[in-house]
Amino acid sequence: MTPLEVAAAVCVLLGAAFALAAGVGMFRFHGTLSRMHPATKPQVLGLQLVLLAMWLRHPTWTVAGTLLLTGVFQVITATVAAYMVGRAAHRNASSAGGDGDDGTAIPGEDAGR
């Protein structure tokens, strides 16, 4: 294996680990505002690492341009989507009387958490 292939394999494994961490965080955290962090930050970093691995596997300018556009659009859309979801959850929780329930509780979980 060449050094580029080893680096690509490491990036894919790290990207998959970040995606797994995002999935676990989405399951473990309670409420929309808490779930926004694992839904955006580790997921975006994981995707960036996978895109880097794809470029390391095929280091051409055509591939680099496509992957760069994909990465930039992912960062922009994840940021805007997280902002809009957070804003809607905050407004919904504020209008519900401030009881802390934003409507995203998993059925059967303890209400005291």
Side-chain angles (χ1 to χ4, degrees), residues 50-66:
V50 170
L51 293 175
L52 176 62
M54 291 172 64
W55 181 75
L56 289 172
R57 191 78 173 113
H58 301 287
T60 63
W61 287 109
T62 305
V63 172
T66 304

Side-chain angles (χ1 to χ4, degrees), residues 93-111:
S94 296
S95 66
D99 62 356
D101 180 23
D102 61 3
T104 60
I106 298 173
E109 74 180 1
D110 295 332

